[in-house]
Amino acid sequence: MNLAGKNLSTKEINALVGGGTYAVIDLDALSHNISAFQTYVGENVRIAVAVKANAYGHGVVPVAMEAIRAGASYLLVARIEEGIQLRLAGITAPILNLGYITPDEMQLALQYNLTLTITQKEQALAAEEAAKILNIKARVHIKVDTGMNRSGTSPEEALPLIQYIDKLNHLELEGLYTHFACADDMEKKASVEQFSKFSTLIEKVKSAGIEIPLIHAANSAATLNFPETHLDMVRIGIASYGLYGSGGVSHAVDLEPILTLNSRIDRIHDLNPGEGVSYGYDFVASQPTRAALVPIGYGDGYQLALSNCGEMLVSGQRAKVLGRICMDQLVIDVTNIKEATCGEPIKIVGQQGDRGISVADLSKLAKISEYSFVTGLSARVPRLYIRNGELIMLTGLNSSSSLRLFNEKLK
Ligand SMILES: *Cc1c(COP(=O)(O)O)cnc(C)c1O
């Protein structure tokens, strides 16, 4: 890895981050994914990037900054606190809050120039009053529930709400959107039904003489599977991070994963047949086994569901998790990997030699979703950010001590 012109060995990186386990977030890959989507949807369709939940675990501030640089015109958050965090980091790009905002929170959201999702008259009225006090025109989007049965206003109530907001002086009705429940299912039926309800509403709004400039519906899966749903803007979350999200999603855009996850071997020891490993002895050796200790656990986001089934790369070969994953560490089987030694680097997600292990692979093994795997990466894991091929930033609990080391290294 290149750091301000210096190539760093794994050993030097380990000295920087401490603890042995670290993630590398490749902002160049993020930028590639967003540009590739822009080419795919065409220049008349805007791209909104979902950065909720700490940018799906990747670290919200650097990801949001790079997404804007790469051409995204909206950032999507789920809570106003997430939007405020981005504003405090100096990000001025439009931010749409997707979640429910209570009437009491309107003023706070507007102080930070967040675009509001509105689903009820009471919210609209509270937003109008807050915007009046602040002497601004507040941007709002109306969310319609066309069949996800989660959040939003019903298609029947949407038009009266739109007409009501259209008459308010301090609200700018910028957007109208819906969200698909089954977009990762190439069997289109449910998505077609939802989209048809949404299209009917769009027609009614037009007939009522109301112009809404940003009408949007598609998440990553719908953007890839159903190009007819692109409308004015697509909302890309998981695919920005280089993941298709599930097996049912078209690979129409060539994505690059932005996350790699790395660790090392801290101990190697031999097990005799009959010896158990880790809490509960969920694994018992049936033959002489060489076990290696790796300092990553569910406290880092390496999910418990990977117990006895997770795999990682050691010397370019797959090694399987033995027994139950602990909070801070786990044990793998290196019986057939003779080269494995203490201190040896391990690839948990990413490429090593000509072998790779992906978030999709691990999600399948653990029977969890790709979303929950990456979003679960905890604050404890140091994250190194690469841009233009160089290390530009390091975050994590160890970052103050690491940054000190970092400076010493630079001398
Ligand atoms: C999270 C979210 C998205 C992004 O979804 P992906 O499947 O990650 O692309 C889009 N729209 C809404 C309303 C969301 O909540």
Side-chain angles (χ1 to χ4, degrees), residues 177-334:
Y177 72 101
T178 192
H179 190 55
F180 293 110
C182 307
D184 61 351
D185 189 348
M186 298 226 199
E187 158 55 59
K188 287 186 169 192
K189 195 166 165 285
S191 302
V192 166
E193 261 173 42
Q194 282 194 264
F195 196 58
S196 137
K197 283 188 189 160
F198 194 50
S199 304
T200 306
L201 175 64
I202 295 168
E203 282 312 312
K204 282 190 192 158
V205 172
K206 278 192 187 140
S207 306
I210 297 171
E211 276 271 346
I212 303 180
L214 282 183
I215 298 182
H216 48 111
N219 59 356
S220 301
T223 302
L224 291 163
N225 281 349
F226 312 127
E228 63 275 23
T229 65
H230 293 174
L231 303 174
D232 299 314
M233 182 163 88
V234 293
R235 303 188 305 267
I236 310 293
I238 196 80
S240 312
Y241 307 103
L243 305 172
Y244 291 94
S246 88
V249 176
S250 150
H251 288 214
V253 172
D254 191 22
L255 301 175
E256 287 176 17
I258 81 165
L259 168 80
T260 54
L261 190 56
N262 310 274
S263 195
R264 67 175 182 222
I265 294 178
D266 277 350
R267 177 193 179 206
I268 292 194
H269 74 293
D270 292 313
L271 301 170
N272 294 315
E275 284 192 286
V277 173
S278 187
Y279 293 121
Y281 286 165
D282 289 347
F283 170 84
V284 177
S286 57
Q287 55 194 39
T289 302
R290 207 160 157 252
L293 176 68
V294 184
I296 187 169
Y298 60 77
D300 301 287
Y302 198 83
Q303 313 252 342
L304 189 64
L306 288 161
S307 294
N308 258 326
C309 69
E311 291 178 5
M312 48 191 72
L313 295 170
V314 184
S315 300
Q317 296 167 73
R318 284 206 182 202
K320 203 172 150 196
V321 172
L322 296 180
R324 204 179 297 173
I325 289 163
C326 306
M327 188 182 291
D328 314 306
Q329 48 199 326
L330 54 79
V331 174
I332 55 173
D333 183 355
V334 293

Side-chain angles (χ1 to χ4, degrees), residues 79-92:
R79 309 254 200 280
I80 59 178
E81 285 74 10
E82 294 178 327
I84 293 171
Q85 184 188 0
L86 293 174
R87 289 288 180 246
L88 293 177
I91 292 171
T92 56

